[in-house]
Amino acid sequence: MNRSFYDETHTVFGEHKSKILQWIFSVDHKRIALLYSGVMFTLFFFAVGAALTMRAELFFPGQQLIEAQTYNQTFTFHGVTMIFLFVVPGIAAALGNFMLPLMLGARDLSFPRLNLLSWWLYIIGVITALSSLMTAHGFADTGWTFYAPYSLKTETSVIFTLSAAFILGLSSILTGINFVVTIHRLRAPGMDFFKMPLFVWGLYSTAWIQVLATPVVGITLLLVILERTLGIGIFDPTKGGDPILFEHLFWIYSHPAVYLMILPGFGIVSEVLPVFSRRTIFGYRSIALSSASIAGIGYLVWGHHMFTSGISDLARIIFSFLTFLVAIPTGVKIFDWIATLYKGSIILATPMLWILGSIINFTIGGLTGVVLGALGTDIHLHDTYFVVAHFHYTILGGVIFMFIGGLHYWYPKITGKLYDEVRGRIAFILMFVGFNMLWFPMFIAGFLGNPRRYFDYLPTFSIYHQIAGIGAVLVASGLLFVLYNFYKGVKEGKKAGANPWNGTTLEWHIPSPPPLENFSKIPYVDFDPYEYEKGEAVVKFDENFRRIH
Amino acid sequence: MENELAYDVQGKGHPVSDYKDDYNGEKFGFWIFLFTEGMMFGALFLIFAIYFYRNMEVFASASSELNIWLGGINTVILLVSTYTMGVASIMMRQGKTKLSAILVGITLLMAVIFLAIKASEWSVDITQGIYPGSEILLKKDKGEILFFGLYFVMTGLHGLHIIGGIALMTWVLLLIRSGGIREDHTIVMKNVTLYWDFVHLIWIVLFPLFYMIGV
Ligand code: HEM
Ligand SMILES: [Cu+2]
């Protein structure tokens, strides 16, 4: 029996007897990926708990469960946790960390110790954020956007949250650097940029956003911290500062950040579709380059968050126009994916279901995004539930669905076992139906004028909130079912073997779970990532990683 | 595992690059790190530009309150120190370890002098009651509050980078002693030199922004 990375590992310093130390000091990218996943999903479930609390409060108009102020802190906790602690590290830190070296034919990332440092910084950030739940003034109540001047004035412990976001930003930057260098330096011989799997392209674009956008928000949050501690005055109107400037700087990062969340997800879609249609991906180059151009144009559109905050008409028109431009590369991808499915032999296995579901959800989320990018309609819809529905469609319905799809897809590689297909499908259906019940009514409520960030609403909106409430319960049970299925799979699943899905990319050519340092011999890669002929993978290797076909 | 090869279908071997001791990778990674730093300072320069545009006159008169001589001396010190650091790095590659270490030591000394001068400037300001949030400053024009707010933030952040540089150069000296940096293994030194150039470059922009607009 082969020894896998679960049996042996490298650590930063020395040998450790204790299993725990072997994990938290391991520099193996696969172990670090699992560490990230464990902590991230724990936090995800906390944030879902907060969401359910809000949904329960919103089930009837008027106040039942929690007070207005507590509601404000709850949606801030929910937003901050989901965004900064969960989805920003997200797919890249969890699946990306695990898969990147495997897909490139490398033995680790370029800087394994830096990778571990990123994780530790992440943990410090998490602790900083959570500790303010215990302080006297409680968790911040500013919303996840920390808009000045309110964030300068609120009594709550906003400094903790800001510092946490700052530290997490640092962690994210270091991961970005690591990924960019790895992709440039450690591709297997022969693999040029256009022979890389598309998930790698997604990670690559993401990594550049992490590196170039995160420092802007980092310094901005630092300025708010300095304002609160020393009274610097940059964003405080009573001292000559300009709060609108805060919004600009915040969104200069936070808009690109939404692409940082979705691009690895798009990458997963592009991996799963060819494998479960047994067909080469359609338009490889256009998918790869659209990732890069989304990352590029994404820098120039931040103003669409500020159509109602006092920017000039000219600026508003330009930002609106640029926002439409981003829709083009995104549309290109969606067409490519549909063309890949066309005449493929589609296998509706669980990962495929999640991915197809995510494409449907994301299309709705993306198109409503165009509605919001249009100047006229946004003035009406800004700060209503329409916006909240839009971004939940893109993030929860898009990113998280893709993430879960990716987890199912690579589950056999990571654990070496198979999960139960039937349970997997039931969980998907629960979640897909629940999700659409949860967020579709909110488009209507928002369109009719229900504002966001309130614990209460007019009784006419009850029906929408009640459907959403039921949807939320379905979503939560779907999530728990996924978890249960994964747990059962590890306990009693069948052995997966190296390549249960008939995949073509390099990770499917090594044992599951992979050994320490992944590849005994490095393959030579002079072929495209997704080659199928009559439903069979074309490329085959012998045990020494020499091509036999 | 020197010169590992990957074989193609014809049986021809192609060299594999490994993550261990990848000189180019480490250099490239550090460059990207400096991009990040550049974006961070860049955001501050942007903020400065906007407020300067809105308060030109006040900024100019506030600027003339700073001591241009001390700022100027510091500029020269940093300039010379990047030179000594650069030469140190070249000497190391030529195998002149001793000389290289001495030059790093000189650079380090200059960094400390820079900090001392900077600290004396700050303390003069502070004793005159000019610091963020002080009663005296808050009574002044809003442009002035912003000017000094930015002054303390930006030179402070730059000062932190100087302190970082001092730590790094100390580390370099230790590595030279232990043989961690040697003629054929200079990547750490190369990157620290790069870092020091960057810190100097930031100052070159900061100096005219804060000291010279009032002249
Ligand atoms: C699991 C199901 C989820 C439910 C039931 C849910 C529910 C909610 C609710 C009720 C709000 C508050 C709306 C308001 O009062 O304005 C909200 C806000 C928000 N949610 Fe979710 N959410 C879920 C998942 C997610 C995910 C996965 C993310 C991102 C990764 C996310 C990100 C956000 C953000 C950023 C806000 C805005 C917070 C703010 O206004 O500052 N949510 N969500
Ligand atoms: Cu945006």
Side-chain angles (χ1 to χ4, degrees), chain A residues 51 54 71 78 82 143-144 385 391-392 395 439 452-453:
Chain A
M54 286 189 285
Y71 186 88
H78 169 75
M82 282 296 189
W144 78 281
Y385 259 99
F391 70 69
H392 281 89
I395 305 186
W439 285 111
R452 69 187 278 204
R453 291 182 171 165

Side-chain angles (χ1 to χ4, degrees), chain A residues 457-474:
Chain A
Y457 50 85
L458 293 177
T460 40
F461 293 118
S462 299
I463 180 72
Y464 307 109
H465 286 283
Q466 281 163 2
I467 299 174
I470 298 168
V473 174
L474 291 183

